[in-house]
Amino acid sequence: MKHHAPTLIPPGLTRFGAALLTWAALSTANAQAPAAPGAPVQAQQFTLANGMSLIVKPDRRAPTAVHMLWLRAGSMDEVDGSSGVAHVLEHMLFKGTPRVPVGEFSRRVAALGGRDNAFTSLDYTGYYQQIPAARLADVMQLEADRFANNQWPDEEFKKELEVVKEERRMRTEDDPQALMNEALHAAVFVASPYRRPIVGWMSDLDALTPDDARAFYQRWYVPANAAVVVAGDVDVAEVRRLAEKYYGQIPGRAVPARKPRVEPAQTGLKRIAFKAPAEQAMVTLAYKVPTFQSFAGGQEEGDALALTVLAAVLDGYSGARLARALTQGPDRLADSAGAYNGLWGRGPQLFMLSGVPAQGKTAEQVEAALRAQVARIAAEGVSEAELARVKTQWVASAVYKLDSVFNQARELGTSWVQGQPLDAHERLIERLRAVSADQVKAVAARYFGDDQLTVAQLLPQALKKAGKPRTAAAGSRH
């Protein structure tokens, strides 16, 4: 059986393009406003009687549709000792209901001419089907059933848990950079649940029980904590009717209160020397930075956008500053170098710089060069040509991304998770275009002190001898 890889990315969005393209397919007008002749049809949002959100975005270019169910529940909603349970539960949603036996969900979607999968992140869990538009009612019925009636025997949980453990071994424990990234986030964050890996610590997975997953399901899989997003060749009124029929009958209940877990201010530089079998060293610098919360205005909002533009100037296009300064020429310092800013999320965000030293160079040299590039911008600023390039590139990419109905649905879902409005895309473009060279220079000077910094250095150890190749555990959906 197929399945996804857990979304093992930092809590923010990677690179300038990815960070901003998270917004790229959002619809841009009031839900009540009629579309002008020739204008794109706007998304509309509704709330069902049980509190569930419904977002519909018609796109008539092909007779297909994407149906997604989003939960504002990810690994950040776990508690210590049960890390990984959100992701394990996502696997278990494919394991049946009283009406749909184990393994039958995906087979039925395939029989409709569609495909399905799911994903888990720090902030959310999502499930989707891509199907012919005429079969939308069938997948809505299937998804509503498993959202409300998911159940499975303990033995099925134990088998799937082994699949998840194997995922951790293959995607984290066999990857030294992934292991270092995991250790870095555990060191950066003290109170924030972002310090735990999405896939979970192996000791927690070893101790996880079927009732742990059932408790997470009962707590967070609540209509008022969920949104259905439908995009494609659909009629808004008909989708709303179907949503009322299949999702609207699910009993509503209150979303549990979330306790604040405020990250305390960092008061000094942190360093990690991480040893792992590897061929090359690596260094990553993680700075705590503001999160884009809303369009209310204020310095932190402006700084979050300016930091995103700074990441683009450093590493947002082929031949950007880090590539030119660190990876080119006969005396190059690094085989690769990168920058990204976590623009938004339900928890605190990071601006990260990273590099892999070239042969004969050291991680210390790469770290100094990365710092020097930010310091240069803090002292000299950036050119208007650089700003124009990154802004034009992003706007063009945002337009191209609208070609994908799947991406339109996904971006509407991530917007809902963050509590952003349907016109966020249009507003963000306006704010992005207004970011000035002075703002970029100011944030380069403001947020890159040692008191906000954690540095992780990968120290390569001798590689292990190759053993018998590992195979995926039975029942894997990958």
Side-chain angles (χ1 to χ4, degrees):
M1 297 170 66
K2 61 182 172 62
H3 200 10
H4 70 295
T7 310
L8 297 175
I9 59 175
L13 301 167
T14 59
R15 294 188 185 271
F16 170 72
L20 291 178
L21 288 178
T22 296
W23 301 75
L26 296 177
S27 58
T28 59
N30 185 283
Q32 311 305 320
V41 179
Q42 309 303 332
Q44 297 189 43
Q45 182 167 345
F46 310 95
T47 302
L48 306 184
N50 57 12
M52 180 175 279
S53 296
L54 171 67
I55 303 170
V56 189
K57 174 66 166 62
D59 186 324
R60 305 280 190 183
R61 289 174 295 174
T64 61
V66 174
H67 171 264
M68 288 184 162
L69 176 68
W70 291 79
L71 277 299
R72 196 175 278 125
S75 63
M76 74 172 296
D77 298 293
E78 300 163 349
V79 297
D80 286 340
S82 64
S83 65
V85 69
H87 174 233
V88 173
L89 176 60
E90 176 236 296
H91 279 238
M92 299 313 298
L93 261 284
F94 291 86
K95 298 302 178 180
T97 73
R99 296 176 54 188
V100 180
V102 173
E104 186 73 7
F105 186 97
S106 293
R107 191 197 67 77
R108 293 190 186 184
V109 173
L112 296 170
R115 64 188 186 95
D116 71 305
N117 219 315
F119 43 85
T120 304
S121 82
L122 293 163
D123 293 340
Y124 54 77
T125 306
Y127 305 85
Y128 71 85
Q129 301 84 37
Q130 295 176 281
I131 36 79
R135 309 318 297 262
L136 177 62
D138 298 286
V139 295
M140 291 183 80
Q141 183 175 15
L142 282 168
E143 191 68 85
D145 177 48
R146 72 170 174 180
F147 172 79
N149 303 307
N150 179 233
Q151 67 176 44
W152 26 263
D154 288 359
E155 287 305 312
E156 198 64 40
F157 175 87
K158 293 174 183 176
K159 288 192 296 183
E160 198 64 25
L161 185 60
E162 294 306 312
V163 173
V164 174
K165 290 180 183 179
E166 189 65 10
E167 287 184 21
R168 178 177 170 81
R169 295 184 189 102
M170 295 177 68
R171 295 187 171 91
T172 303
E173 296 180 359
D174 288 351
D175 183 339
Q177 291 187 9
L179 278 174
M180 187 188 78
N181 184 63
E182 188 175 77
L184 172 62
H185 281 81
V188 167
F189 297 116
V190 176
S192 171
Y194 278 5
R195 69 188 314 275
R196 297 189 298 264
I198 297 166
V199 74
W201 302 113
M202 185 61 86
S203 59
D204 286 354
L205 295 176
D206 286 337
L208 209 61
T209 70
D211 285 342
D212 290 331
R214 292 182 181 117
F216 194 87
Y217 170 71
Q218 289 296 325
R219 182 172 181 82
W220 297 115
Y221 280 54
V222 177
N225 198 42
V228 174
V229 179
V230 177
D233 188 14
V234 297
D235 176 77
V236 174
E238 176 63 10
V239 174
R240 187 175 184 183
R241 184 188 70 79
L242 292 172
E244 294 283 5
K245 178 179 179 180
Y246 295 119
Y247 290 102
Q249 307 307 312
I250 301 171
R253 48 193 172 92
V255 179
R258 289 179 164 94
K259 292 184 180 295
R261 289 173 284 186
V262 179
E263 183 67 17
Q266 189 171 327
T267 56
L269 172 66
K270 301 178 186 179
R271 283 192 178 273
I272 302 170
F274 189 83
K275 297 179 179 180
E279 294 182 348
Q280 288 182 289
M282 182 179 183
V283 63
T284 298
L285 292 74
Y287 295 87
K288 290 180 177 175
V289 293
T291 303
F292 186 94
Q293 298 284 5
S294 69
F295 291 93
Q299 180 176 312
E300 287 201 351
E301 177 185 308
D303 285 356
L305 290 169
L307 285 162
T308 302
V309 176
L310 173 62
V313 170
L314 292 169
D315 185 33
Y317 56 90
S318 178
R321 287 195 178 210
L322 292 186
R324 293 198 311 271
L326 275 71
T327 70
Q328 297 176 6
D331 298 321
R332 64 191 181 87
L333 285 173
D335 287 341
S336 64
Y340 64 81
N341 179 56
L343 178 62
W344 66 347
R346 290 172 56 205
Q349 299 301 304
L350 302 173
F351 188 108
M352 301 181 77
L353 299 165
S354 63
V356 175
Q359 186 174 5
K361 306 300 182 181
T362 68
E364 289 78 10
Q365 289 174 299
V366 173
E367 177 185 338
L370 291 168
R371 286 176 176 251
Q373 287 302 309
V374 177
R376 181 180 176 184
I377 293 175
E380 303 173 3
V382 298
S383 69
E384 291 299 329
E386 284 178 297
L387 286 185
R389 178 166 184 172
V390 297
K391 292 177 184 180
T392 301
Q393 182 179 2
W394 173 64
V395 172
S397 297
V399 173
Y400 293 141
K401 196 159 188 176
L402 289 171
D403 284 341
S404 168
V405 173
F406 180 86
N407 284 332
Q408 292 180 56
R410 184 171 183 124
E411 304 309 340
L412 285 165
T414 55
S415 178
W416 172 84
V417 166
Q418 306 298 340
Q420 300 294 342
L422 293 184
D423 63 351
H425 169 53
E426 194 169 80
R427 294 191 197 182
L428 192 71
I429 290 178
E430 293 173 358
R431 291 298 308 275
L432 173 69
R433 287 175 170 162
V435 172
S436 69
D438 286 344
Q439 284 178 286
V440 176
K441 181 180 179 181
V443 295
R446 184 177 297 130
Y447 291 105
F448 293 88
D450 282 0
D451 281 355
Q452 300 167 119
L453 172 62
T454 303
V455 179
Q457 183 177 334
L458 175 61
L459 305 177
Q461 307 297 296
L463 295 173
K464 298 176 182 178
K465 292 183 179 180
K468 183 179 179 181
R470 216 173 7 263
T471 57
S476 172
R477 290 180 49 80
H478 291 276

